[in-house]
Amino acid sequence: MSKNSADTPVMRQYLSAKAEYPDAVLFFRMGDFYEMFFEDAVITSAALDIALTSRDKGKEDAVPMCGFPHHALPGYLTRMVEAGHKVAVCDQMEDPRKAKGIVKRAVTRVVTSGVILDAEQLDAKVSNYLMALSWDGGEADPHGPGEGGSAGSRGTVGGGEDEDLLGLAFLDASTGEFLTAELPGGQGLLDEIARVRPRQILVPRGSLGGLRQLCPGLGSLRLEEAPEGIFGDDQGDHDLLAEATDASPEWVALSAGARRASAAVIRYIRTLFPGRELPPFRLVPYQVSAYLVLDEATLANLEIFETIMERRRQGSLLGVLDQTVTAMGARLLRRSLAFPLAIVEEILRRQEAVAFLVERAGLRDSLRRAMKGLHDLERLNRRAACGLATPRDLGAMASSLRAVPVIVGLVAEAAAGQTLEALPELLQPPEDDLGDLAARLSEVLVPEPPVGCKDGGIIRPGFSAELDELVSLADGGKEQILAIEARERDRTGLAGLRIRYNRVFGYTIEVSRSKAREVPPEYVRKQTLANVERYVTPELSEHEARVLGAEEKRVELEERLFVGLREEVAAAESRIGRLAERLATLDMLAAFAEVSSRNDYCRPRVDDGDLIRIQDGRHPVVEQIVGPGRFVPNDLSLSSGEDQVVIVTGPNMAGKSTIIRQAALITLMAHTGCFVPARAATVGVVDRIFTRVGASDNLARGQSTFMVEMKESANILRYATSRSLVVLDEIGRGTSTYDGVSIAWAVAEFLHDRIRTKTLFATHFHELCSLEDVKPRVRNRSVAVREVGGEVVFLHKLVRGGSSRSHGIGVAKLAGLPQEVVERARQILDHLERGADADAVAARGLPLLAPQLSLFGEVGRAPERPAQPEASDASSKEALRRLRELEPDSLSPRQAQEILYELRELARKGDDCT
Ligand code: ADP
């Protein structure tokens, strides 16, 4: 670095600040600008698209630099963080005009994607989490659990799972929400990460490799090794939690891993707010098993938060359900979908409140109207507690708190003369409505305070006698100046004479230059401009001192009073937090009630039983798209004892996916406490919902469709339990028909026999319908279509029995395939269905079908295969004959099984001969 470019006092100050935050880009305040130097300038100019220049331009070792005006900071911070950078903001700590020597500067905050407090940089409806993972394991067992864990050896793989207890903690710094849990490694971790969706994930130094080995799926996430000293030792963690968290005894019982992750979050966040005391952290431990688990694939496949294709909220379940009117409510509702309740009593508690509000449309309307006026109390509260709230923030808090009695009153009124105990528990009025704080804020603040403190105008007249005096002095002074102006104009006869104010010269008497010779002798010239001369008089200077002095004192005093008020608010942090939580809950429950009432949902019976029964169920999103009255409702029943594996067949576009997804969505919705789109429903609580849906090519992760499909299936077979709900929309599509049918069959069998999971299986392999004949708890259902004169009509109705035809050609015709192609396809189909003989094939140019498994259908002979010996042929023919004569409907499961054994014998005989 060149001596002249870097060896100045300011540069030394810059370098020392930078040394403290080597991993952050330093925004360095100089006058009215933030400047960046060296590598930081290169990064910033590229990220923000601003010009890169240099100090000591032209010299070989010139220092790269760039800058932007200070008022552009919020927008530029957002863009830097979105581009994945961490930014340390170094501010001037004193007024440059008053500074003696070089202005003091210090880093006042560090902004990273996971820790943002400014409302402008945050999505109001989405929580912004920083997560820390702690894991003390050494090298993970490569055969241990994980996303790629082998399927089919349930209970035999994954040894050591219990020892790999992992701690995780996540904090939304903008609201103070702070949760921690411990869990086994591998998939459980991915599931938690998928639903929390943290913006930033910290792990201990040196643990990246081990963690990725433990849980291969982590490979696609951006994990950040925390700076030195963020993860501590057990004693240190213990002490830190005791000191920094709200004294809640629960955390003492936490595992060392959860403690370690929580303490790391606190340590890290403290480094981001140097010199600022942060409010106590309300750490809440949770049990993963208290919530229904939804893995990443399920959240995506069921389009819970966004659509798969366009990643839009509209068209997702959240898009339909989120009728909240506050940001707090919207965030809570989102969280409730990510963490559906798995404890019946808690679900019933929500249902009770939703039912109360569904029944009272008037109350619901008034409540939602009243809540619309609420600002984001959670985030305002946290900003106040961190000493960052502006006067406008506190004004917003004041107006929100003033609305609380109205809201509470509306609910209390609804108890309609009965005691408040008659209200559902979740609608009970809050014990503390913060009336005292509301009154205090109203007493101190003007009704609409400004954003900044610099110009005063924050404190209500009448609150402070001292302030009122300063205000009248300053204002009175201004009046006097007007009086002097009028008097001087009179006295001098100069009609254009004006008294002006500017920052550098203060008050001056301004006269046009053409009249300059006419000014009285006591006027002292201060400044000469192109057209005017400016003068001062002793009288004016004296006034100026008084007015400006009063003005300055007034601003200082207002700021002091404001900061005092902010501290009072900060002291009420946990009270405000509790109230905000109640309001968020109320908003969410009212939203559930609103959407339930608007769309005619029913209150499901939720219990610990094993049954899921849906009568006239609808798909909450598709029904909105197809329009009122056009959605065909359907019944469905599932239980692990009877209707355990339901196989849904039917042509493309019949509505198979819709029906199986709607069952999953209704089940999920029931777990949130919301009503469901059905005429009636019973939902036994499940522990997980798994889905494997369509072709979700995960090219970003470098995996082919078929690989993704098999991994998702493997994951299901590994983790599903008899209390899970599994939704399979096509398995085995990504490979040859034989492979596909075989895999699909084996998967269904495994779910039926081994796990006994409630399963919905939509498939275009009609062959799977034979499962019903051999497995006692398999049920065939199909989505009805009618083919009238070659035209397919979709009825969207689920009926008993499997579908026997694909109607693929009918659907192709509907889709507009040329008539000629449709006709030819029919010819070929006809030929294949009748069994192709080689001569016809040669004569008519028709395809040969590769040989089919005898159990599944017709036999065709592959020309490239060697001719089969006679005996084998005879066995196949015999087997086929038996199959053709079968009347599946008249067989008992037992008879069916016997026939299967016979058929297998015949097949083996055939094999022996080859
Ligand atoms: P499949 O999975 O059988 O190919 P989908 O479930 O994707 O069929 O349904 C295709 C389309 O049919 C849907 O997008 C929807 O527009 C319509 N549909 C499906 N089910 C229904 C229903 N029950 N009532 C009305 N329209 C439906």
Side-chain angles (χ1 to χ4, degrees), residues 868-878 906 909-914:
Q868 307 280 307
E870 295 254 297
S872 158
D873 228 29
S875 310
S876 308
K877 281 195 175 137
E878 171 61 10
L906 275 172
K909 259 194 229 156
D911 281 350
D912 293 342
C913 298
T914 58

Side-chain angles (χ1 to χ4, degrees), residues 617-619 622 625-626 630-634 650-662 729-730 762 783 794-797:
R618 285 133 35 211
H619 189 297
V622 177
I625 295 168
V626 300
R630 309 213 21 208
F631 191 90
V632 182
N634 275 301
N652 274 328
M653 290 300 287
K656 300 184 296 297
S657 308
T658 306
I659 208 160
I660 61 174
R661 286 169 194 228
Q662 91 191 21
D729 194 351
E730 300 288 3
V783 192
F794 297 115
L795 303 178
H796 303 306
K797 200 71 194 165

Side-chain angles (χ1 to χ4, degrees), residues 631-698:
F631 191 90
V632 182
N634 275 301
D635 297 344
L636 198 72
S637 181
L638 281 168
S639 68
S640 53
E642 273 183 55
D643 308 335
Q644 187 215 318
V645 176
V646 173
I647 303 216
V648 183
T649 45
N652 274 328
M653 290 300 287
K656 300 184 296 297
S657 308
T658 306
I659 208 160
I660 61 174
R661 286 169 194 228
Q662 91 191 21
L665 290 172
I666 287 173
T667 304
L668 168 66
M669 285 167 72
H671 285 72
T672 65
C674 184
F675 287 8
V676 300
R679 188 163 50 79
T682 299
V683 176
V685 165
V686 299
D687 62 357
R688 297 185 65 138
I689 297 178
F690 287 94
T691 59
R692 139 102 278 281
V693 168
S696 55
D697 225 2
N698 204 338

Side-chain angles (χ1 to χ4, degrees), residues 216-233:
L218 285 176
S220 61
L221 296 171
R222 224 176 64 192
L223 305 182
E224 195 177 312
E225 291 201 348
E228 205 69 60
I230 294 297
F231 284 86
D233 59 38

Side-chain angles (χ1 to χ4, degrees), residues 306-313:
E306 58 190 21
T307 55
I308 291 188
M309 301 291 277
E310 285 143 350
R311 311 198 115 220
R312 278 176 37 190
R313 181 185 151 97

